[in-house]
Amino acid sequence: QVQLRETGGGLVQPGGSLRLSCAASGNIFSIYDMAWYRQAPGKERELVAVIASSGSTNYADPVKGRFTISRDNAKKTMSLQMDSLRPEDTAVYSCNADIVYKVLPVTRSRFWGQGTQVTVSS
C-alpha cells in the first residue's frame, strides 16, 4: 500500500513564505514525476508545479518565480518552497506522484496525498 503525506501548511501573511513537504511510503519500487496541485474554494483543482525523476521542473504561470519545487529521490520526498505568498495562493495543496508499486508485471498508478491547507491572510 502506497501513501503520500503532506506537511507544512498553515496561516501566513501576504509576502511571507511557507515550505510544504510530501513523503511517500509503502511498497514503492520507483517514482516517476511528482507534482503539487491546489484547489481553492469554489474553484477547480489546478496544477502548481511538477518535477520529473531527472529533476526537470515546470511551473504554472501564477507561481513562476515565487515557488520552487524539489525532490529527494533517495528519501522519496518532495518539497514546495513558496515565497512572496499572495492571498490568491490560499488553497488546499495536495501532492501527487506516479509510482511503480508492483513488479512482475510492472504496475504503476498515480497516488494522492490528503492535502494541507495554506491560508494567506493579514
Side-chain angles (χ1 to χ4, degrees), residues 6-22 36-41 46 48 63 66-67 79-95 114-122:
E6 303 98 336
T7 56
L11 172 65
V12 64
Q13 292 187 340
S17 298
L18 276 178
R19 185 177 182 85
L20 305 182
S21 295
C22 174
W36 287 99
Y37 286 77
R38 67 185 182 186
Q39 186 167 22
E46 62 176 355
V48 175
V63 308
R66 300 188 297 122
F67 290 11
S79 295
L80 184 69
Q81 176 66 38
M82 304 185 294
D83 299 317
S84 302
L85 283 161
R86 305 167 180 169
E88 54 265 38
D89 294 319
T90 295
V92 174
Y93 285 70
S94 299
C95 66
Q114 81 287 353
T116 185
Q117 177 69 45
V118 171
T119 302
V120 184
S121 175
S122 55

